[in-house]
Amino acid sequence: MKKAVLLFITLGTMYCSLAQQIPARKSKPAHTKEEYLQKSKKLWTAAIVMVSVGGVMAITGLAMGLNESNGNGGSGDVSGVLFVGGCGLMLGSLGCSIPGTIFKKKAMSLSFKNEPASSLQRGMVFNKTVPSLSLKISL
């Protein structure tokens, strides 16, 4: 008798644990062509600003360092920090320009088309157009 009760409790526990529903995953919304182009534009703008500011910093640091080496005085620490910081900022702009290019390529490969589709209604076949998202993959 104890074995039968234990068996039913075990089976009931297993049934309840297997019958639980998994919460639905929140799917990411599909991005449109305009969203990808906007992201690309923002990233490219950030990359251009970073390269420009980094270039000005590096040139200023280099000029200060050359002025200091000629014996005109100045602080070597500031010129070194400006030069290294400017070079780092210019290299950091790659982190914005590469994803910007990727988003632009995605935007160019996405397009909406009205594709023909056949549907069966009341024993008859009808042709209608269905809006669809097409994605070009260049190999």
Side-chain angles (χ1 to χ4, degrees):
M1 184 71 178
K2 288 183 182 180
K3 288 183 181 179
V5 170
L6 188 59
L7 177 66
F8 284 119
I9 291 174
T10 305
L11 287 176
T13 305
M14 285 176 45
Y15 176 75
C16 290
S17 65
L18 294 177
Q20 292 178 356
Q21 292 189 3
I22 299 172
R25 293 183 188 169
K26 293 182 180 179
S27 62
K28 294 181 181 176
H31 295 290
T32 62
K33 184 175 184 176
E34 291 79 21
E35 289 174 348
Y36 278 127
L37 285 174
Q38 186 178 12
K39 282 183 182 182
S40 173
K41 185 178 178 181
K42 286 181 180 179
L43 285 172
W44 270 103
T45 303
I48 289 171
V49 168
M50 288 172 71
V51 165
S52 302
V53 171
V56 168
M57 285 175 61
I59 290 171
T60 304
L62 187 63
M64 286 174 65
L66 289 175
N67 189 24
E68 179 182 306
S69 67
N70 289 338
N72 294 340
S75 68
D77 294 340
V78 174
S79 63
V81 168
L82 278 175
F83 182 73
V84 172
C87 291
L89 200 57
M90 288 190 294
L91 285 176
S93 71
L94 291 175
C96 290
S97 63
I98 293 172
T101 305
I102 292 171
F103 285 141
K104 189 171 185 177
K105 285 181 182 179
K106 278 185 182 181
M108 293 302 164
S109 66
L110 287 176
S111 63
F112 287 100
K113 292 182 180 178
N114 287 327
E115 295 288 333
S118 301
S119 64
L120 182 64
Q121 294 177 352
R122 298 183 188 149
M124 298 178 71
V125 177
F126 292 99
N127 287 328
K128 61 180 182 178
T129 59
V130 176
S132 60
L133 177 70
S134 67
L135 174 65
K136 288 184 196 174
I137 300 175
S138 57
L139 299 176

